[in-house]
Amino acid sequence: MIPFLDLKAINAGQRQALCEAFERVLDSGWYIMGDELKAFEAEFAAYCGTDHCVGVANGLEALGLALRAVDVGPGDEVIVPSNTYIATWLAVSHLGATPVPVEPDAGTFNIDPARIEQAITPRTRAIMPVHLYGQAAELGPILEIARRRGLRVIEDGAQAHGARYRSERIGGHGDAVAWSFYPGKNLGALGDGGAVTTQDPLIADRLRVLRNYGSRTKYHNEVIGTNSRLDELQAALLRVKLQQLDAGNARRAQIAGLYLNGLQGAGLVLPRVAAGMDPVWHLFVVRHPQRDLLAKQLASEGIGTVIHYPIPPHLQPAYATLGLQPGALPVSEALHREVLSLPIGPTQSDAQTNAVIAALNKAVAGMAAPLRRETELSR
């Protein structure tokens, strides 16, 4: 068996340090908003090259609180990628605002800046690019549009811990970056967790108030806030995992290199790295018109794959009220029919990776053979 992602093996490599962190929190007697959170916030901010980090309960709330911190609310519109996990859209909807989808670049899978301007209306308040699959979105043109049109930029960095845009780590290019520390992320907790990084002290201050019942002093509530705090245990565990993030990302890059070399000419559409990007390969996503059959054949060989994501947000029942019918966003719809994520993780061996490559080449060749025979018979 070659698992899609072996979290048990990843955590086993840091078991002693994780256990020590757990015991440190257990023995402290302080489990919410303590020294571990302060230390993690400082360390992650420094890692991202930003001035501020505010830990919150999960990635979805990081997105929502970041939007609230820049005054997005009911009646507003937010530009979002049409090709993303639905959480990006949900964060907008939870505030009473409307997500306005923009199609991706089919090569990088990220939002296409050239399509953003035409989606802006007088109600638009923010642009929310997603650094999908671990590759940074084209922030330069996005930020230029935002500055010219007086819009905020809230980045979704849930899949891009450590990714670089033109040599600078993601973390503070826009107004704020929302992060998820879901266990399967490149920087994953042992439960839910999230954070927002920003260079803006006013946004950081507002986030700290919003996450803590609208209060900076206990029992004194300035605004209608919520309870969304990264707890001491997850903060302590993330401090351990942060130390290995770069090494894990480097290993993912090695595996991606093996895939890119070994799958050339296999009949798959391979991911494209845009100029000036340094991705962290949270996912390695290929495309094939017979994706479901391909996944089934790989499963029969004991190879785990995942489809990210089978149904685009605009075709989910949750967003039926937007009135976007099949065919409304053809680039995203084609991607969602064809994408398949291959196994990739910091503990995956070269032998496992080469086995995936061999199985893929064999499976795709087997699919092509009947098509070739059919073509020959029709001549």
Side-chain angles (χ1 to χ4, degrees):
M1 290 293 296
I2 300 175
F4 174 72
L5 181 66
D6 193 343
L7 287 178
K8 186 175 180 180
I10 292 170
N11 293 327
Q14 297 174 280
R15 183 181 181 87
Q16 182 176 345
L18 291 170
C19 288
E20 290 172 358
F22 170 79
E23 291 178 356
R24 188 170 68 243
V25 174
L26 180 65
D27 294 342
S28 74
W30 194 289
Y31 309 118
I32 299 288
M33 301 283 281
D35 290 341
E36 294 291 346
L37 176 60
K38 292 176 184 175
F40 172 72
E41 288 175 335
E43 290 160 10
F44 191 61
Y47 178 84
C48 295
T50 57
D51 292 334
H52 307 280
C53 171
V54 181
V56 298
N58 55 63
L60 176 56
E61 294 187 7
L63 289 166
L65 289 169
L67 288 168
R68 279 193 68 185
V70 296
D71 295 318
V72 172
D76 293 338
E77 292 179 349
V78 178
I79 303 294
V80 296
S82 56
N83 177 47
T84 184
Y85 183 53
I86 199 169
T88 312
W89 290 40
L90 293 175
V92 176
S93 300
H94 286 171
L95 298 178
T98 300
V100 177
V102 169
E103 290 272 63
D105 177 293
T108 66
F109 306 105
N110 277 323
I111 191 169
D112 184 351
R115 299 174 185 259
I116 289 176
E117 195 114 29
Q118 63 196 34
I120 296 173
T121 76
R123 294 170 57 195
T124 305
R125 292 292 175 268
I127 304 171
M128 186 179 284
V130 178
H131 306 302
L132 200 64
Y133 308 153
Q135 179 170 192
E138 281 284 2
L139 287 171
I142 293 171
L143 291 168
E144 188 278 326
I145 293 169
R147 292 185 185 115
R148 180 161 41 83
R149 301 296 293 264
L151 304 176
R152 297 288 200 164
V153 175
I154 303 298
E155 304 166 51
D156 184 339
Q159 300 183 8
H161 311 81
R164 294 178 185 269
Y165 176 76
R166 305 200 182 283
S167 301
E168 291 185 358
R169 280 204 181 107
I170 297 303
H173 290 84
D175 292 282
V177 183
W179 304 92
S180 168
F181 303 126
Y182 180 78
K185 304 299 185 184
N186 290 33
L187 179 60
L190 299 189
D192 269 324
V196 181
T197 54
T198 181
Q199 299 283 38
D200 189 325
L202 296 179
I203 290 175
D205 182 68
R206 191 164 189 198
L207 285 165
R208 292 188 182 99
V209 172
L210 287 170
R211 74 172 174 185
N212 189 40
Y213 298 100
S215 170
R216 70 181 77 239
T217 303
K218 196 167 185 177
Y219 303 131
H220 293 265
N221 304 84
E222 302 171 21
V223 296
I224 298 174
T226 188
N227 175 13
S228 182
R229 303 173 300 201
L230 181 65
D231 67 67
E232 286 291 279
L233 178 58
Q234 297 303 337
L237 299 174
L238 285 165
R239 293 182 66 197
V240 172
K241 293 198 157 204
L242 182 58
Q243 297 175 31
Q244 297 300 317
L245 178 56
D246 283 345
N249 287 344
R251 177 57 190 155
R252 287 172 179 270
Q254 291 173 347
I255 295 167
L258 291 174
Y259 279 145
L260 290 169
N261 289 328
L263 296 173
Q264 288 290 337
L268 300 164
V269 179
L270 300 178
R272 178 174 64 84
V273 177
M277 305 298 182
D278 185 7
V280 292
W281 299 104
H282 173 62
L283 300 174
F284 190 95
V285 180
V286 299
R287 294 178 60 189
H288 191 274
Q290 293 177 282
R291 181 268 312 283
D292 294 338
L293 179 58
L294 187 59
K296 185 177 179 180
Q297 292 195 15
L298 291 174
S300 72
E301 300 270 353
I303 296 170
T305 60
V306 175
I307 298 170
H308 294 91
Y309 304 95
I311 305 172
H314 73 281
L315 296 182
Q316 296 280 5
Y319 282 101
T321 54
L322 292 182
L324 295 170
Q325 301 300 316
L329 297 166
V331 180
S332 288
E333 291 171 32
L335 290 176
H336 287 252
R337 286 193 300 269
E338 297 181 359
V339 293
L340 186 67
S341 299
L342 305 183
I344 191 166
T347 61
Q348 186 170 307
S349 68
D350 286 358
Q352 289 176 312
T353 305
N354 289 328
V356 175
I357 292 169
L360 264 171
N361 280 309
K362 177 183 174 183
V364 176
M367 291 177 191
L371 292 175
R372 284 196 297 269
R373 285 197 296 272
E374 223 175 274
T375 304
E376 290 167 0
L377 289 171
S378 66
R379 286 175 180 170

